[in-house]
Coordinates of all heavy atoms in Angstrom, one line a residue:
M1 N 5.3 -28.2 2.4 CA 4.3 -27.3 2.6 C 3.1 -27.3 1.7 O 3.4 -27.5 0.5 CB 5.0 -25.8 2.6 CG 4.0 -24.7 2.9 SD 4.8 -23.1 2.9 CE 5.2 -23.0 4.7
T2 N 2.0 -27.2 2.1 CA 0.8 -27.4 1.3 C 0.4 -26.1 0.6 O 1.0 -25.0 0.9 CB -0.4 -27.8 2.1 OG1 -0.8 -26.8 3.0 CG2 -0.2 -29.1 2.8
V3 N -0.4 -26.1 -0.4 CA -0.9 -24.9 -1.1 C -1.5 -24.0 -0.1 O -1.3 -22.8 -0.1 CB -1.8 -25.3 -2.2 CG1 -2.4 -24.1 -2.9 CG2 -1.1 -26.1 -3.3
T4 N -2.3 -24.5 0.8 CA -3.0 -23.6 1.8 C -2.0 -22.9 2.7 O -2.1 -21.8 3.0 CB -3.9 -24.5 2.8 OG1 -4.7 -25.2 1.8 CG2 -4.7 -23.6 3.7
G5 N -0.8 -23.7 3.0 CA 0.2 -23.1 3.8 C 0.9 -22.0 3.2 O 1.3 -20.9 3.7
I6 N 1.1 -22.1 1.8 CA 1.8 -21.1 1.1 C 1.0 -19.9 1.0 O 1.4 -18.7 1.1 CB 2.2 -21.7 -0.3 CG1 3.3 -22.8 -0.2 CG2 2.6 -20.6 -1.3 CD1 3.6 -23.5 -1.4
I7 N -0.4 -20.1 0.7 CA -1.2 -18.9 0.5 C -1.4 -18.2 1.9 O -1.3 -17.0 1.9 CB -2.6 -19.4 0.1 CG1 -2.5 -19.9 -1.4 CG2 -3.6 -18.3 0.2 CD1 -3.7 -20.6 -1.9
T8 N -1.5 -19.0 3.0 CA -1.5 -18.4 4.3 C -0.2 -17.5 4.6 O -0.2 -16.5 5.2 CB -1.7 -19.5 5.4 OG1 -2.9 -20.2 5.1 CG2 -1.7 -18.8 6.8
A9 N 1.0 -18.1 4.2 CA 2.2 -17.4 4.4 C 2.2 -16.1 3.6 O 2.7 -15.1 4.1 CB 3.4 -18.3 4.0
L10 N 1.8 -16.2 2.4 CA 1.7 -14.9 1.5 C 0.8 -13.9 2.2 O 1.1 -12.6 2.3 CB 1.3 -15.2 0.2 CG 2.3 -16.0 -0.7 CD1 1.6 -16.3 -2.0 CD2 3.5 -15.1 -0.9
I11 N -0.4 -14.3 2.6 CA -1.3 -13.3 3.3 C -0.6 -12.8 4.6 O -0.8 -11.5 4.8 CB -2.6 -14.0 3.6 CG1 -3.3 -14.4 2.3 CG2 -3.5 -13.2 4.5 CD1 -4.6 -15.2 2.4
V12 N 0.0 -13.6 5.4 CA 0.5 -13.1 6.6 C 1.7 -12.1 6.2 O 1.9 -11.1 6.8 CB 1.1 -14.3 7.5 CG1 2.0 -13.8 8.6 CG2 -0.1 -15.0 8.1
G13 N 2.5 -12.5 5.2 CA 3.6 -11.6 4.8 C 3.1 -10.3 4.3 O 3.7 -9.3 4.5
L14 N 2.0 -10.2 3.5 CA 1.3 -8.9 3.2 C 1.0 -8.1 4.4 O 1.2 -6.9 4.5 CB 0.2 -9.2 2.2 CG 0.5 -9.8 0.9 CD1 -0.8 -10.1 0.1 CD2 1.4 -9.0 0.1
I15 N 0.3 -8.7 5.4 CA 0.0 -8.0 6.6 C 1.1 -7.5 7.4 O 1.2 -6.4 7.8 CB -0.9 -8.9 7.5 CG1 -2.2 -9.2 6.7 CG2 -1.2 -8.3 8.8 CD1 -3.1 -10.3 7.4
V16 N 2.2 -8.4 7.4 CA 3.4 -8.0 8.1 C 4.1 -6.8 7.4 O 4.6 -5.9 8.1 CB 4.4 -9.2 8.2 CG1 5.8 -8.8 8.6 CG2 3.8 -10.2 9.3
G17 N 4.1 -6.8 6.1 CA 4.7 -5.7 5.4 C 4.0 -4.4 5.6 O 4.5 -3.3 5.8
A18 N 2.6 -4.4 5.7 CA 1.8 -3.2 6.0 C 2.1 -2.8 7.4 O 2.2 -1.6 7.7 CB 0.4 -3.6 5.8
L19 N 2.2 -3.7 8.3 CA 2.5 -3.4 9.7 C 4.0 -2.8 9.8 O 4.2 -1.8 10.6 CB 2.4 -4.5 10.7 CG 1.0 -5.0 10.9 CD1 1.0 -6.3 11.7 CD2 0.2 -4.0 11.7
G20 N 4.9 -3.3 9.0 CA 6.2 -2.8 9.0 C 6.3 -1.4 8.5 O 7.0 -0.5 9.0
R21 N 5.4 -1.1 7.6 CA 5.4 0.3 7.1 C 4.8 1.3 8.2 O 5.3 2.4 8.3 CB 4.5 0.4 5.8 CG 4.3 1.8 5.3 CD 3.5 1.8 4.1 NE 3.5 3.2 3.5 CZ 3.3 3.4 2.3 NH1 3.3 2.5 1.4 NH2 3.4 4.8 2.0
L22 N 3.9 0.8 8.9 CA 3.3 1.6 10.0 C 4.2 1.8 11.1 O 4.1 2.9 11.8 CB 2.0 1.0 10.4 CG 0.8 1.0 9.4 CD1 -0.4 0.2 10.0 CD2 0.4 2.4 9.0
V23 N 5.0 0.9 11.4 CA 5.9 1.0 12.6 C 7.1 1.9 12.4 O 7.5 2.6 13.3 CB 6.5 -0.5 13.0 CG1 7.5 -0.4 14.0 CG2 5.3 -1.3 13.5
V24 N 7.6 2.0 11.1 CA 8.7 2.9 10.8 C 8.2 4.3 10.8 O 7.3 4.6 10.1 CB 9.3 2.5 9.4 CG1 10.4 3.4 9.0 CG2 9.9 1.1 9.5
P25 N 8.9 5.2 11.5 CA 8.4 6.5 11.6 C 8.8 7.3 10.3 O 9.8 7.0 9.7 CB 9.1 7.2 12.8 CG 10.3 6.3 13.0 CD 9.9 5.0 12.5
G26 N 8.0 8.3 10.0 CA 8.3 9.2 8.9 C 7.8 8.6 7.6 O 7.1 7.6 7.6
R27 N 8.0 9.4 6.5 CA 7.6 9.0 5.2 C 8.6 8.1 4.5 O 9.7 8.5 4.4 CB 7.2 10.2 4.4 CG 6.7 10.0 3.0 CD 6.2 11.2 2.4 NE 6.2 11.2 1.0 CZ 5.3 10.6 0.3 NH1 4.4 9.9 0.9 NH2 5.3 10.6 -1.1
Q28 N 8.1 7.0 4.0 CA 9.0 6.1 3.2 C 8.7 6.4 1.7 O 7.5 6.3 1.3 CB 8.8 4.7 3.5 CG 9.1 4.3 4.9 CD 7.9 4.4 5.8 OE1 6.9 4.0 5.4 NE2 8.2 4.8 7.1
N29 N 9.7 6.7 0.9 CA 9.5 7.1 -0.5 C 9.7 5.8 -1.4 O 10.4 5.8 -2.3 CB 10.5 8.1 -0.9 CG 10.2 9.5 -0.3 OD1 9.1 9.8 -0.1 ND2 11.2 10.2 0.1
I30 N 9.0 4.7 -1.0 CA 9.0 3.6 -1.8 C 7.5 3.1 -1.9 O 6.7 3.5 -1.1 CB 9.8 2.4 -1.1 CG1 9.3 2.0 0.2 CG2 11.3 2.8 -1.1 CD1 10.1 0.8 0.8
P31 N 7.2 2.5 -3.0 CA 5.8 2.1 -3.4 C 5.3 1.0 -2.3 O 6.1 0.2 -1.8 CB 5.8 1.5 -4.8 CG 7.3 1.1 -5.0 CD 8.2 2.1 -4.2
I32 N 4.0 1.0 -2.2 CA 3.3 0.0 -1.3 C 3.7 -1.4 -1.7 O 3.8 -2.2 -0.9 CB 1.8 0.3 -1.1 CG1 1.2 -0.6 0.0 CG2 1.1 0.1 -2.5 CD1 1.6 -0.1 1.4
W33 N 3.7 -1.6 -3.0 CA 4.0 -3.1 -3.3 C 5.4 -3.5 -2.9 O 5.5 -4.7 -2.6 CB 3.9 -3.3 -4.9 CG 4.9 -2.5 -5.7 CD1 4.7 -1.3 -6.3 CD2 6.2 -2.9 -6.0 NE1 5.8 -0.9 -6.9 CE2 6.8 -1.9 -6.8 CE3 6.9 -4.0 -5.7 CZ2 8.1 -1.9 -7.3 CZ3 8.3 -4.1 -6.3 CH2 8.8 -3.0 -7.1
L34 N 6.2 -2.6 -2.8 CA 7.6 -3.0 -2.3 C 7.5 -3.2 -0.7 O 8.2 -4.1 -0.3 CB 8.7 -1.9 -2.6 CG 10.1 -2.2 -2.4 CD1 10.5 -3.4 -3.0 CD2 11.0 -1.1 -2.8
H35 N 6.7 -2.5 -0.1 CA 6.5 -2.8 1.4 C 6.0 -4.2 1.5 O 6.4 -4.9 2.4 CB 5.5 -1.7 2.0 CG 6.2 -0.5 2.3 ND1 6.0 0.6 1.4 CD2 6.9 0.0 3.3 CE1 6.6 1.6 1.9 NE2 7.2 1.3 3.0
L36 N 5.0 -4.5 0.7 CA 4.3 -5.8 0.8 C 5.4 -6.9 0.5 O 5.4 -8.0 1.1 CB 3.1 -5.8 -0.1 CG 2.1 -4.8 0.3 CD1 0.9 -5.0 -0.7 CD2 1.6 -5.0 1.7
L37 N 6.2 -6.7 -0.6 CA 7.2 -7.7 -1.0 C 8.2 -7.9 0.2 O 8.5 -9.0 0.5 CB 7.9 -7.3 -2.3 CG 8.9 -8.2 -2.8 CD1 8.2 -9.5 -3.2 CD2 9.6 -7.6 -3.9
V38 N 8.7 -6.8 0.8 CA 9.5 -6.9 1.9 C 8.8 -7.7 3.1 O 9.4 -8.4 3.8 CB 9.9 -5.5 2.4 CG1 10.6 -5.5 3.8 CG2 10.9 -4.8 1.5
G39 N 7.5 -7.4 3.3 CA 6.8 -8.1 4.4 C 6.8 -9.6 4.1 O 6.9 -10.4 5.1
V40 N 6.6 -10.1 2.9 CA 6.6 -11.6 2.6 C 8.0 -12.0 3.0 O 8.0 -13.1 3.6 CB 6.3 -11.8 1.1 CG1 6.5 -13.3 0.8 CG2 4.8 -11.4 0.8
G41 N 9.0 -11.4 2.6 CA 10.4 -11.9 3.0 C 10.6 -11.9 4.5 O 11.2 -12.7 5.0
A42 N 10.1 -10.8 5.1 CA 10.3 -10.6 6.6 C 9.5 -11.7 7.3 O 9.9 -12.2 8.4 CB 9.8 -9.2 7.0
A43 N 8.3 -12.1 6.8 CA 7.6 -13.2 7.4 C 8.3 -14.5 7.4 O 8.3 -15.2 8.4 CB 6.2 -13.3 6.7
L44 N 8.9 -14.8 6.2 CA 9.7 -16.0 6.2 C 10.9 -16.0 7.0 O 11.1 -16.9 7.8 CB 10.1 -16.3 4.7 CG 8.9 -16.5 3.7 CD1 9.5 -16.5 2.3 CD2 8.3 -17.7 4.1
L45 N 11.6 -14.9 7.0 CA 12.9 -14.7 7.8 C 12.5 -14.6 9.3 O 13.2 -15.2 10.2 CB 13.7 -13.5 7.5 CG 15.0 -13.2 8.2 CD1 15.9 -14.4 8.0 CD2 15.6 -11.9 7.7
G46 N 11.3 -14.0 9.6 CA 10.9 -13.9 11.0 C 10.5 -15.2 11.6 O 10.9 -15.5 12.8
T47 N 10.0 -16.1 10.8 CA 9.7 -17.4 11.2 C 10.9 -18.2 11.5 O 11.0 -18.9 12.5 CB 8.8 -18.2 10.1 OG1 7.6 -17.5 10.0 CG2 8.5 -19.6 10.6
V48 N 11.9 -18.1 10.6 CA 13.2 -18.9 10.9 C 13.9 -18.3 12.2 O 14.4 -19.1 12.9 CB 14.1 -18.7 9.6 CG1 15.5 -19.1 9.9 CG2 13.5 -19.3 8.4
L49 N 13.9 -17.0 12.3 CA 14.5 -16.4 13.5 C 13.8 -16.9 14.8 O 14.3 -17.1 15.8 CB 14.5 -14.8 13.5 CG 15.6 -14.3 12.5 CD1 15.4 -12.8 12.3 CD2 17.0 -14.7 12.9
A50 N 12.4 -16.8 14.7 CA 11.6 -17.3 15.9 C 11.9 -18.7 16.2 O 12.0 -19.1 17.5 CB 10.2 -17.1 15.5
N51 N 12.0 -19.5 15.3 CA 12.4 -21.0 15.5 C 13.8 -21.0 16.1 O 14.1 -21.8 17.0 CB 12.3 -21.8 14.2 CG 10.9 -22.1 13.9 OD1 10.0 -22.2 14.7 ND2 10.6 -22.3 12.6
A52 N 14.7 -20.2 15.6 CA 16.2 -20.2 16.1 C 16.4 -19.7 17.5 O 17.1 -20.3 18.2 CB 17.1 -19.4 15.1
I53 N 15.5 -18.8 17.9 CA 15.6 -18.4 19.3 C 14.7 -19.0 20.2 O 14.6 -18.7 21.4 CB 15.4 -16.8 19.4 CG1 14.0 -16.4 18.9 CG2 16.5 -16.1 18.6 CD1 13.8 -15.0 19.1
G54 N 14.0 -20.0 19.7 CA 13.2 -20.9 20.6 C 11.7 -20.5 20.8 O 11.0 -21.0 21.7
I55 N 11.2 -19.6 20.0 CA 9.8 -19.2 20.1 C 9.0 -20.3 19.4 O 9.2 -20.6 18.2 CB 9.5 -17.9 19.5 CG1 10.3 -16.8 20.3 CG2 8.0 -17.6 19.4 CD1 10.1 -15.4 19.8
S56 N 8.1 -21.0 20.1 CA 7.4 -22.1 19.5 C 6.4 -21.6 18.5 O 5.7 -20.6 18.6 CB 6.6 -22.8 20.6 OG 5.8 -23.8 20.1
T57 N 6.3 -22.3 17.3 CA 5.4 -21.9 16.3 C 4.3 -23.1 16.1 O 3.7 -23.1 15.1 CB 6.2 -21.8 14.9 OG1 6.8 -23.0 14.6 CG2 7.1 -20.6 15.0
D58 N 4.3 -23.9 17.1 CA 3.3 -25.0 17.0 C 2.0 -24.7 17.8 O 1.3 -25.7 18.2 CB 3.9 -26.3 17.6 CG 5.2 -26.8 16.9 OD1 5.3 -26.2 15.7 OD2 6.0 -27.5 17.4
T59 N 1.6 -23.5 17.9 CA 0.4 -23.2 18.7 C -0.8 -23.4 17.8 O -0.7 -23.4 16.6 CB 0.4 -21.7 19.1 OG1 0.6 -20.8 18.0 CG2 1.7 -21.4 20.0
A60 N -2.0 -23.5 18.5 CA -3.2 -23.8 17.8 C -3.8 -22.5 17.2 O -4.5 -22.6 16.2 CB -4.2 -24.4 18.8
G61 N -3.5 -21.4 17.8 CA -4.0 -20.1 17.3 C -2.9 -19.2 16.8 O -1.9 -19.7 16.2
V62 N -3.0 -18.0 17.0 CA -2.0 -17.0 16.5 C -0.8 -17.1 17.4 O -1.0 -17.1 18.7 CB -2.6 -15.6 16.6 CG1 -1.6 -14.5 16.2 CG2 -3.8 -15.5 15.6
D63 N 0.3 -17.1 16.9 CA 1.6 -17.2 17.7 C 2.1 -15.8 17.8 O 2.7 -15.3 16.8 CB 2.6 -18.1 17.0 CG 3.8 -18.3 17.9 OD1 3.9 -17.6 18.9 OD2 4.7 -19.2 17.5
W64 N 1.8 -15.0 18.8 CA 2.0 -13.6 19.0 C 3.6 -13.4 19.0 O 4.0 -12.3 18.5 CB 1.4 -13.1 20.2 CG -0.2 -13.1 20.0 CD1 -1.0 -13.9 20.7 CD2 -0.9 -12.3 19.2 NE1 -2.3 -13.8 20.2 CE2 -2.3 -12.8 19.3 CE3 -0.6 -11.3 18.3 CZ2 -3.3 -12.2 18.7 CZ3 -1.7 -10.7 17.6 CH2 -3.0 -11.2 17.7
G65 N 4.3 -14.3 19.6 CA 5.8 -14.1 19.7 C 6.4 -14.1 18.2 O 7.2 -13.3 17.9
E66 N 5.9 -15.1 17.5 CA 6.4 -15.2 16.1 C 6.0 -14.0 15.3 O 6.8 -13.4 14.5 CB 5.9 -16.4 15.5 CG 6.4 -16.6 14.0 CD 5.8 -17.9 13.3 OE1 5.0 -18.6 13.9 OE2 6.1 -18.1 12.1
L67 N 4.8 -13.5 15.5 CA 4.3 -12.3 14.8 C 5.1 -11.1 15.2 O 5.4 -10.3 14.3 CB 2.8 -12.1 15.0 CG 2.1 -11.0 14.3 CD1 2.3 -11.3 12.8 CD2 0.7 -10.8 14.8
L68 N 5.5 -11.0 16.4 CA 6.2 -9.8 16.8 C 7.6 -9.8 16.2 O 8.0 -8.8 15.7 CB 6.4 -9.9 18.4 CG 7.2 -8.7 19.0 CD1 6.5 -7.4 18.8 CD2 7.4 -8.9 20.5
V69 N 8.2 -11.0 16.2 CA 9.5 -11.0 15.4 C 9.4 -10.7 14.0 O 10.2 -10.0 13.4 CB 10.1 -12.5 15.6 CG1 11.4 -12.7 14.8 CG2 10.4 -12.8 17.1
Q70 N 8.4 -11.2 13.4 CA 8.1 -10.8 12.0 C 8.0 -9.4 11.7 O 8.5 -8.8 10.7 CB 6.9 -11.7 11.4 CG 7.1 -13.1 11.3 CD 5.9 -13.8 11.0 OE1 4.8 -13.5 11.2 NE2 6.1 -15.1 10.3
V71 N 7.2 -8.7 12.6 CA 7.0 -7.3 12.4 C 8.2 -6.5 12.7 O 8.5 -5.5 12.0 CB 5.8 -6.8 13.3 CG1 5.7 -5.3 13.4 CG2 4.5 -7.4 12.9
V72 N 9.0 -6.9 13.6 CA 10.3 -6.2 13.9 C 11.2 -6.4 12.7 O 11.8 -5.4 12.2 CB 11.0 -6.8 15.2 CG1 12.4 -6.3 15.3 CG2 10.2 -6.4 16.4
V73 N 11.3 -7.6 12.1 CA 12.2 -7.8 11.0 C 11.7 -7.0 9.8 O 12.4 -6.4 9.0 CB 12.3 -9.3 10.6 CG1 12.8 -9.5 9.2 CG2 13.0 -10.1 11.7
A74 N 10.3 -6.9 9.6 CA 9.8 -6.1 8.5 C 10.0 -4.7 8.7 O 10.4 -3.9 7.8 CB 8.2 -6.4 8.5
A75 N 9.9 -4.2 9.9 CA 10.2 -2.7 10.2 C 11.7 -2.5 9.9 O 12.0 -1.4 9.2 CB 9.9 -2.3 11.6
I76 N 12.6 -3.3 10.3 CA 14.0 -3.1 10.0 C 14.2 -3.1 8.4 O 14.9 -2.2 7.9 CB 14.9 -4.1 10.7 CG1 14.8 -3.8 12.2 CG2 16.3 -4.1 10.2 CD1 15.4 -4.9 13.0
A77 N 13.7 -4.1 7.8 CA 13.8 -4.3 6.3 C 13.2 -3.0 5.6 O 13.8 -2.5 4.7 CB 13.2 -5.6 5.9
V78 N 12.0 -2.5 6.0 CA 11.4 -1.4 5.4 C 12.3 -0.2 5.6 O 12.5 0.6 4.6 CB 10.0 -1.1 6.0 CG1 9.4 0.2 5.6 CG2 9.0 -2.2 5.4
A79 N 12.8 0.1 6.8 CA 13.6 1.2 7.0 C 15.0 1.1 6.1 O 15.4 2.1 5.5 CB 14.1 1.2 8.5
I80 N 15.5 -0.1 6.0 CA 16.7 -0.2 5.1 C 16.3 0.0 3.7 O 17.0 0.8 3.0 CB 17.4 -1.6 5.3 CG1 18.0 -1.7 6.7 CG2 18.4 -1.9 4.2 CD1 18.5 -3.1 7.1
V81 N 15.3 -0.5 3.2 CA 14.9 -0.4 1.8 C 14.5 1.0 1.5 O 14.9 1.6 0.4 CB 13.8 -1.4 1.3 CG1 13.2 -1.1 0.0 CG2 14.3 -2.8 1.4
A82 N 13.9 1.7 2.4 CA 13.4 3.1 2.2 C 14.7 4.0 2.2 O 14.7 4.9 1.4 CB 12.4 3.5 3.3
S83 N 15.6 3.7 3.0 CA 16.8 4.5 3.1 C 17.7 4.4 1.9 O 18.3 5.3 1.4 CB 17.6 4.3 4.3 OG 18.2 3.1 4.3
V84 N 17.8 3.1 1.3 CA 18.6 2.8 0.2 C 17.9 3.2 -1.1 O 18.4 4.0 -1.9 CB 19.0 1.4 0.2 CG1 19.7 1.0 -1.1 CG2 20.0 1.1 1.4
G85 N 16.7 2.7 -1.3 CA 16.0 2.8 -2.6 C 15.1 3.9 -2.6 O 14.6 4.4 -3.7
G86 N 14.6 4.5 -1.6 CA 13.7 5.6 -1.5 C 14.3 7.0 -1.9 O 13.5 7.9 -2.2
R87 N 15.6 7.1 -2.0 CA 16.2 8.4 -2.3 C 16.2 8.6 -3.8 O 16.4 9.8 -4.3 CB 17.6 8.5 -1.7 CG 17.5 8.5 -0.2 CD 18.9 8.5 0.4 NE 18.8 8.3 1.8 CZ 19.1 9.1 2.7 NH1 19.4 10.4 2.3 NH2 19.0 8.9 3.9
R88 N 16.0 7.6 -4.6 CA 16.0 7.8 -6.0 C 14.8 8.5 -6.5 O 13.7 8.2 -6.0 CB 16.1 6.3 -6.8 CG 17.4 5.7 -6.5 CD 17.4 4.3 -7.2 NE 18.5 3.6 -6.7 CZ 18.7 2.3 -6.8 NH1 17.8 1.7 -7.4 NH2 19.7 1.7 -6.4
G89 N 14.9 9.4 -7.4 CA 13.7 10.0 -8.0 C 13.3 11.1 -7.1 O 12.3 11.7 -7.5
V90 N 13.8 11.4 -5.9 CA 13.4 12.4 -5.1 C 14.3 13.6 -5.4 O 15.5 13.6 -5.3 CB 13.6 12.1 -3.6 CG1 13.2 13.2 -2.6 CG2 12.7 10.8 -3.3
T91 N 13.6 14.7 -5.7 CA 14.2 16.0 -6.0 C 14.2 16.9 -4.9 O 13.2 17.1 -4.2 CB 13.8 16.6 -7.3 OG1 12.4 16.9 -7.1 CG2 13.9 15.7 -8.5
H92 N 15.3 17.5 -4.5 CA 15.3 18.5 -3.4 C 15.3 19.9 -3.9 O 16.2 20.2 -4.8 CB 16.6 18.2 -2.4 CG 16.5 16.9 -1.8 ND1 15.6 16.7 -0.8 CD2 17.1 15.8 -2.1 CE1 15.8 15.3 -0.4 NE2 16.8 14.8 -1.2
R93 N 14.4 20.8 -3.6 CA 14.5 22.1 -4.1 C 14.9 23.1 -3.0 O 14.8 23.0 -1.9 CB 13.1 22.4 -4.5 CG 12.6 21.5 -5.6 CD 11.2 21.9 -6.0 NE 10.7 20.8 -6.8 CZ 9.9 21.0 -7.9 NH1 9.6 22.2 -8.1 NH2 9.6 20.1 -8.6

């Protein structure tokens, strides 16, 4: 993978993380940087899953199928991280 490919993957991961935050309903009590970090991981995992289920990633433009898989993985990961880590520091009155 080239430097350009890595930078592109990071940028796509940041966008996927932000989209994952928007897709999950309700308020997530985790910082935005954690959403973005989850997005980078979800972008990588989403690409692997898209390849595994046969969604082609060799398109000349935007691969909407792969992007959809990445956003779904990010939404699931954001929901899990928010439910596990988001409860810390929250006081109920």
